[in-house]
Amino acid sequence: MSVTWVLPRKLAELTGYTEKAIQDKISNGVFPEGTVWKKAPDGRRLLNGKEYDKWVESQPITM
């Protein structure tokens, strides 16, 4: 079974971001609603791991 949408706790576990950092990115519009995150039918926020990867890869590399 492949799971695309996960709770913030799981994304935090996988990425190293804290749950608060993830919630802040949602609240501040850094993670776009409908692609990186959405509300499930029960009202909980879910995050798409594949879209998160795209978000990471879209950032310019600075040194």
Side-chain angles (χ1 to χ4, degrees):
M1 176 169 86
S2 174
V3 177
T4 302
W5 295 94
V6 297
L7 295 169
R9 178 179 344 121
K10 186 64 167 180
L11 191 70
E13 177 185 317
L14 295 170
T15 64
Y17 280 109
T18 64
E19 286 186 62
K20 180 171 179 351
I22 291 169
Q23 296 296 350
D24 288 347
K25 286 178 179 4
I26 290 170
S27 296
N28 295 329
V30 175
F31 287 167
E33 185 174 4
T35 54
V36 177
W37 78 276
K38 68 179 180 178
K39 280 194 177 180
D42 64 0
R44 295 177 80 181
R45 291 178 174 175
L46 296 173
L47 293 111
N48 183 321
K50 293 174 186 173
E51 291 298 325
Y52 165 82
D53 287 343
K54 288 180 188 177
W55 172 80
V56 170
E57 293 166 1
S58 73
Q59 304 304 305
I61 297 173
T62 57
M63 301 233 169

